[in-house]
Amino acid sequence: MQIVKLSLKKANKIPIEADNVNPDNFAGKTEGEIKAIPVWYGNGQCPLEDFFNVKVEGSDSAENTKIVFEGDVSRVKRIGQSMSAGEIEINGNVDMHCGFGMKGGKIVINGDADSWLGCEMTGGEIVLNGNASYYVGSGYRGESCGMRGGKITVNGNTRDYLGEHMCGGEILVKGNVGLLPAISNNGGKIVIEGNATMPAIEMKNGTVIIKGEVSDLLPSYKEEGTEEVEGITYRKFMGDVNVGGKGVLLIK
């Protein structure tokens, strides 16, 4: 097992772009090699050790590499980008794009996450033990497909546009969500245990389950009786018929 512990030397006002910080890139490297890994800061690159205290224990493959962030990294973007194996634990808040394009492995965040958490991920698992901002599991603007696989669990609330353009995978939100969850969905599954507003607009495929209150449900959904999931009976709606959609929207 290889464990890499990172802690910021001081708070940074300019965001750090840490797209190289993932188990795939750290696996088997020495402490000196990891300290020398470049990260973007402003319009230039600097070695990781300029910003972080680095401590390495052991040496192993990506599957057996764990990166632990201690403290607030709310101005550090793209942690875990494109990772395919291993684990990242963040003990504090994290900036945008965490887990972008993730293919495998696991990220655990013991804090809040800024926008685009898990966007366009294709595999792996993200567990957020706090609240998330906008566009969880979504695609970037102009992309036709967001999250394609894997699972995101948010144990708090999220803001607007949860799962926009989602094509696969699963999102579970234990709290409330903002406006337009599951907008333009093309697949996958979203479970919202709290409240939602204007869900599943222009959804073509996929399943959305809402256990809380729903505000402003579109009239372009056709009610088709009930459906039972894990012992709970839901009202079943099909649509969005405005786009010829065959998505399933279940409301308690």
Side-chain angles (χ1 to χ4, degrees):
M1 185 72 182
Q2 179 174 354
I3 299 176
V4 183
K5 296 181 179 179
L6 302 175
S7 60
L8 277 173
K9 292 181 176 180
K10 61 180 181 179
N12 55 299
K13 293 183 179 180
I14 299 174
I16 297 169
E17 300 272 347
D19 53 303
N20 284 331
V21 177
N22 59 59
D24 301 79
N25 202 30
F26 280 15
K29 287 185 170 64
T30 65
E31 187 171 295
E33 289 172 327
I34 291 174
K35 286 180 176 180
I37 289 174
V39 293
W40 284 96
Y41 184 69
N43 61 357
Q45 287 186 303
C46 303
L48 189 67
E49 68 173 338
D50 282 6
F51 308 105
F52 289 92
N53 298 304
V54 181
K55 183 178 179 181
V56 179
E57 300 173 3
S59 179
D60 214 323
S61 62
E63 291 79 6
N64 295 312
T65 296
K66 180 176 182 179
I67 301 172
V68 180
F69 286 88
E70 294 293 350
D72 183 81
V73 285
S74 58
R75 298 293 284 166
V76 182
K77 303 177 187 294
R78 300 186 181 277
I79 293 173
Q81 178 169 315
S82 300
M83 67 183 281
S84 67
E87 184 176 352
I88 296 176
E89 178 182 315
I90 302 170
N91 293 309
N93 300 331
V94 69
D95 207 345
M96 295 191 291
H97 314 294
C98 182
F100 161 58
M102 183 177 180
K103 302 177 182 70
K106 185 175 183 179
I107 299 176
V108 178
I109 304 165
N110 296 312
D112 296 334
D114 209 333
S115 299
W116 310 103
L117 176 69
C119 59
E120 298 185 17
M121 67 186 289
T122 59
E125 181 181 8
I126 298 176
V127 178
L128 173 63
N129 294 314
N131 300 316
S133 194
Y134 302 95
Y135 296 106
V136 173
S138 298
Y140 285 134
R141 293 183 181 93
E143 296 293 335
S144 61
C145 200
M147 181 180 180
R148 294 168 172 84
K151 182 175 181 179
I152 300 174
T153 300
V154 178
N155 287 313
N157 305 314
T158 78
R159 302 184 103 171
D160 307 340
Y161 313 117
L162 171 78
E164 182 183 45
H165 291 108
M166 183 177 177
C167 292
E170 182 177 353
I171 299 176
L172 169 62
V173 179
K174 296 282 189 175
N176 301 320
V177 304
L179 292 169
L180 304 172
I183 181 173
S184 299
N185 264 31
N186 293 302
K189 179 180 180 181
I190 296 177
V191 179
I192 300 165
E193 296 194 353
N195 304 329
T197 301
M198 298 178 70
I201 287 178
E202 296 183 349
M203 181 167 72
K204 294 181 180 179
N205 214 329
T207 299
V208 178
I209 301 174
I210 303 174
K211 299 182 180 181
E213 295 183 4
V214 176
S215 302
D216 299 324
L217 177 64
L218 287 186
S220 52
Y221 272 85
K222 181 181 179 182
E223 188 163 5
E224 294 191 353
T226 62
E227 183 170 320
E228 185 174 305
V229 178
E230 296 179 347
I232 300 175
T233 301
Y234 297 88
R235 296 170 64 192
K236 181 179 180 179
F237 297 84
M238 300 294 294
D240 181 339
V241 298
N242 281 340
V243 292
K246 298 179 180 179
V248 176
L249 175 59
L250 303 179
I251 300 176
K252 189 174 177 181

